[in-house]
DNA sequence: AGTATCGAGTTTGTATACAAGTTGTATTTC
DNA sequence: GAAATACAACTTGTATACAAACTCGATACT
């Protein structure tokens, strides 16, 4: 069980940006802090690489997958299509068991109180939709998508203004509506809701990519940037 | 380089069905025959598992991913959508370099003389389209799809009748037409051609899933089934 | 006779030692 | 003083030995 704990820890750390995109992962240090030897650690890194969390280059170690501009462009271009396709299948294949886990995850999402926790529950929510869609071929893309989407939405859930809090509430309501659409096997409705949900999320991504401009006073600027 | 050779060998063996779906892969035996120790072999298996070639269960070793009926249903349901999406992006993002490799792979496809070689070149052809589409989020699904599609199309390229040979010729012509559509940045055209191409392939899959009925004589039937 | 339990044998998982490769620094040369 | 090369330190890759888990057959019990 030690190995899976290590896997989950690294995965969570990458998703919540404690391991920043592009940063190098030191084998020795990770072995030390998780108390495993290099063999299982390396197997974990291989798995993480297979799922798109890290990049593995020969003789050069592991680095957290980057999130540069072309990647973000790709995400915005591809995400709605994949989410919509998954939603359609989920509505078609919805099972009582699937709906139940979905409701459970969603209640966890509603009760979350830190931005990171919200982002993680949102991740699980959409992963659960993928599981219900039950398509071994779409799942890999969905998972890949969710990695970057979750990383970018860290800012989304860090609500600072009343407007932002309202937006989050809106996203949560959309989750509920989506569950209802799945439950009544309404693919078209599920797709529409999913696209609305995506549109909402897009704004958060834009805030992540283009943060508010720094103050014009240079000394202030340096202080804020740290 | 030994490790990547091992990876390619296993990958090719799985795609051409020399390792049948569902069969177990013995670590010791593979180490023996490829002359590597278990550590790199296991890393290769991890990678293959990440890409969907094998299933890895704890304390239970690696098995070649199966191709049971639900999976095939999923494939038929999902494939056209993914292929179409990839084709659209490929047409939009087509680059001279991408077109060049596509033409190269296609000439290899035309000159292939065994069913396996044809299936492999077809695999590479569609992988090259995926590369040109340049979407890190669609690629994983495309690759997953191609694994099973290639395994199922082994029968497709094993032409026994004049009709079957004609069908293969038709598929090859479609490849050429698709390249042309990419080259002139015509997404709609590329999508249409891709869907036609898929329709053709579907018949081959049906022949794979539902082989011609066995003779009615029971003794004959048992002999053939072995 | 059927089922449950124990144990030998086999297979998988982990740790560690060693080999090979890469990076960065220092020294030498132009 | 700048550039190139060689060396040293460090990081990654591989082999092997050992530990843990599972399988399957034999024996005992219901």
């Amino acid at each position: 069980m030690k190995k899976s704990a290590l896997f989950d820890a690294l995965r969570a750390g990458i998703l919540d940006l404690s391991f920043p995109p592009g940063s190098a992962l030191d084998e020795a240090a990770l072995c030390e802090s998780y108390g495993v030897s290099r063999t299982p650690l390396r197997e974990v890194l291989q798995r993480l690489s297979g799922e798109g969390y890290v990049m593995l280059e020969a003789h050069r170690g592991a680095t957290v997958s980057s999130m540069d501009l072309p990647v973000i462009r790709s995400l915005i271009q591809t995400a709605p299509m994949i989410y919509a396709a998954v939603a359609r299948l989920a509505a078609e294949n919805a099972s009582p068991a699937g709906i139940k886990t979905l409701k459970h995850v969603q209640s966890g999402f509603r009760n979350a109180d830190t931005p990171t926790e919200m982002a993680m529950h949102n991740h699980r929510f959409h992963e659960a939709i993928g599981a219900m869609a039950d398509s071994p071929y779409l799942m890999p893309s969905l998972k890949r998508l969710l990695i970057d989407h979750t990383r970018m939405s860290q800012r989304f859930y860090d609500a600072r203004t009343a407007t932002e809090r309202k937006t989050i509430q809106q996203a949560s309501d959309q989750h509920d509506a989506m569950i209802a659409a799945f439950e009544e096997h309404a693919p078209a409705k599920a797709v529409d809701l999913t696209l609305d949900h995506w549109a909402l999320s897009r704004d958060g991504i834009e805030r992540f990519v283009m943060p508010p401009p720094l103050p014009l006073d240079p000394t202030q600027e340096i202080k804020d940037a740290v």
Side-chain angles (χ1 to χ4, degrees), chain A:
Chain A
M1 274 302 131
K2 225 173 198 173
K3 199 160 70 168
S4 71
L6 165 62
F7 181 86
D8 292 340
L10 286 177
R11 189 171 161 278
I14 291 170
L15 288 177
D16 71 13
L17 302 179
S18 0
F19 296 104
S23 64
L25 295 172
D26 184 40
E27 287 188 6
L30 291 170
C31 288
E32 178 83 18
S33 57
Y34 290 98
V36 286
S37 82
R38 282 181 53 220
T39 312
L41 169 69
R42 284 169 64 83
E43 293 205 347
V44 165
L45 290 177
Q46 293 277 347
R47 265 178 67 199
L48 287 169
S49 157
E51 299 191 15
Y53 288 88
V54 305
M55 284 269 298
L56 236 46
E57 261 181 312
H59 300 291
R60 214 155 277 186
T63 54
V64 178
S65 348
S66 64
M67 284 204 305
D68 37 24
L69 209 59
V71 168
I72 295 172
R73 279 183 55 86
S74 246
L75 184 118
I76 291 177
Q77 189 174 37
T78 324
M81 190 192 75
I82 292 175
Y83 282 135
V86 169
R88 161 157 283 123
L89 287 174
E92 285 169 5
N93 300 341
S95 66
I99 295 287
K100 200 183 158 197
T101 58
L102 222 47
K103 282 181 177 170
H104 181 252
V105 175
Q106 166 62 2
S107 88
F109 176 78
R110 248 192 314 259
N111 297 332
D113 32 37
T114 70
T116 297
E117 240 184 278
M118 296 184 86
M120 291 305 176
H121 274 92
N122 184 68
H123 189 105
R124 265 177 238 144
F125 182 80
H126 289 281
E127 218 165 40
I129 296 176
M132 208 163 67
D134 191 34
S135 173
Y137 304 108
L138 271 177
M139 202 57 173
S141 278
L142 177 67
K143 284 195 165 182
R144 193 67 138 256
L145 201 59
L146 278 173
I147 295 172
D148 291 347
H149 194 171
T150 297
R151 294 200 289 182
M152 287 198 270
S153 60
Q154 293 292 333
R155 173 69 188 84
F156 180 82
Y157 294 110
D158 187 10
R160 291 167 194 179
T161 67
T163 318
E164 285 180 4
R165 269 190 291 280
K166 202 178 147 195
T167 307
I168 292 173
Q169 181 58 47
Q170 210 177 332
S172 181
D173 292 345
Q174 286 172 334
H175 281 186
D176 290 322
M178 283 159 75
I179 294 175
F182 297 142
E183 202 164 11
E184 62 197 46
H185 298 286
K189 201 167 160 189
V191 168
D192 283 350
L193 283 164
T194 299
L195 292 177
D196 288 348
H197 193 53
W198 165 250
L200 204 65
S201 190
R202 246 188 78 122
D203 298 344
I205 293 174
E206 271 165 28
R207 283 209 300 280
F208 178 88
V209 178
M210 302 185 288
L214 293 167
L216 292 177
D217 177 354
T219 57
Q220 185 77 25
E221 179 177 314
I222 287 160
K223 184 167 151 273
D224 275 359
V226 170

